[in-house]
Amino acid sequence: MRAAPAAQGAPAPRLPFPPDFVWGAATSAYQIEGAAADDGRGPSIWDTFCAQAGRIADGRDGAVACDHYHRMAEDVALMARLGLEAYRFSIAWPRVLPAGRGAVNAAGLDFYDRLVDALLAAGIEPWITLYHWDLPQALQDEGGWTARSTVDAFVAFAQVVAARLGDRVERWITHNEPWCASVLGHLEGVHAPGLTDPYAHLASSHHLLLSHGLAVPVIRAAAPGAQVGIALNLVPAEPASSSAADADAARHFDGCFNRWYLDPLAGRGYPADIVAHYQLTAYVDAWDFIHDGDMAAIAAPTDFLGVNYYSRGIIRGDAATGIETGAPTVVAGADKTDMDWEVYPEGLRALLVRVHQDYAPPAIYITENGAAYADGPDGAGRIADARRLAFHEGHLRACHQAIAEGVPLAGYFAWSLLDNFEWAFGYEKRFGLVWVDYETQTRRPKDSALWYRDAIAQGGL
Ligand code: FCB
């Protein structure tokens, strides 16, 4: 059952959100589904990466994860009990196209068909992310995102999924966080496919963006009425002091981390200062992966921008490392989550205002925001995750303020519905509104989930 809407007896909120504001939660396929070898799913780069010694903190993988593939109905019922209005999930490409392209695995596509129907029957709007990092290994064997052929494969994958689900799904996100896929996966080597290659960093980021742009019209054609966007992880950069060196470093960080994606999507090409930097440092000496027409394709008009926000970066000009890849320098003494990320809701407000002023996307959704804290069940089975509750409340207040300042912010997705496989950190970091006991696969809503349920029911805070 859906939670009662505010009009049916929930107390009036002090901070009401617009009536059509979308309240949701997010997950991704590899992090929750498990069933890695079921029903014809092919291997992904994350299966391969996890099997390599030393890659994952706890040595584990997503082979079982939250077993969502087998517990989908139970999980949708849980979402309904929490009153979620929308659920953002991703499609496992290797489930649908086990070899990356060519033959469609009907059983894999059927799973998402059933999920969409179950969500709609529960009154929950499905939001699909096409790529949340689980590239079919067969495509990696041909070069993965460094190869232009992967762009075509992605567009074909988008077509297959949109043709099947586009009659019922209106909201489509092409890519999740191309910065992570390109920098963490191809330069820092801490995510699959584990490369540390500057050329692969830039070639992959270009191909991710290009595949986004080329998929936009394909999704629209297959799913009439579709709203299409991309989800970027943006990190507002603040200079550590008033020195000129720190200001320069913050501008440079912003260029590598934020403008490298925002500018080309807005039709401005790659930011000249960062292109010059990569050239001057001989970071990349051939830009041969950029072909005529690519930049226009990347700038295909979209309906919304998805913003994933976790923290800010405080940037020092003398930092020996980090500026190149955009890794934030650490702020001593600040309030931090288990990821060591500073809790800083004001950064979200400032970021939203800045993105609105500088890029003016037609609408913005927070497609991820959340915090890792380890709090588990007490003797009575309650999970008193007060810090996570405060995190979401603080960031929703920042959202409310941004809306008051004129930002067209239209929804918020908590990361994550469930505790899940947190990539290189394995199962050690828990982001869920809902506790998962991985031994028994029991789900138990934390205090934050119950608080979120009430906020949704009231339509505000
Ligand atoms: C984001 C990812 C998501 C999750 C959160 C904590 O970068 O999109 O899958 O890992 O971080």
Side-chain angles (χ1 to χ4, degrees), residues 276-299:
H277 167 78
Y278 288 144
Q279 228 141 10
L280 282 172
T281 55
Y283 184 86
V284 57
D285 51 15
W287 297 82
D288 52 0
F289 46 83
I290 305 178
H291 294 193
D292 284 352
D294 284 4
M295 301 318 292
I298 290 171

Side-chain angles (χ1 to χ4, degrees), residues 28 31 132-133 176-177 180 233 308 310 341 368 415 422-423 431:
S28 87
Q31 294 179 274
H132 203 125
W133 308 349
N176 181 69
E177 303 187 348
C180 287
N233 53 317
N308 295 357
Y310 289 92
W341 298 343
E368 287 181 24
W415 183 272
E422 179 48 37
W423 308 113
F431 276 90

Side-chain angles (χ1 to χ4, degrees), residues 373-426:
Y373 293 114
D375 310 296
D378 64 17
R382 173 180 170 197
I383 299 142
D385 61 336
R387 293 172 298 174
R388 178 175 296 96
L389 191 160
F391 184 97
H392 285 290
E393 181 171 38
H395 286 79
L396 276 159
R397 282 180 183 277
C399 289
H400 193 271
Q401 182 63 33
I403 294 170
E405 291 178 41
V407 175
L409 179 67
Y412 176 92
F413 290 79
W415 183 272
S416 177
L417 174 69
L418 303 171
D419 290 337
N420 59 46
F421 177 73
E422 179 48 37
W423 308 113
F425 295 93

Side-chain angles (χ1 to χ4, degrees), residues 338-339 372-373 419-420 422 425-431 438:
D338 287 354
M339 298 295 283
Y373 293 114
D419 290 337
N420 59 46
E422 179 48 37
F425 295 93
Y427 295 91
E428 291 175 356
K429 308 294 182 202
R430 291 180 177 265
F431 276 90
Y438 295 110

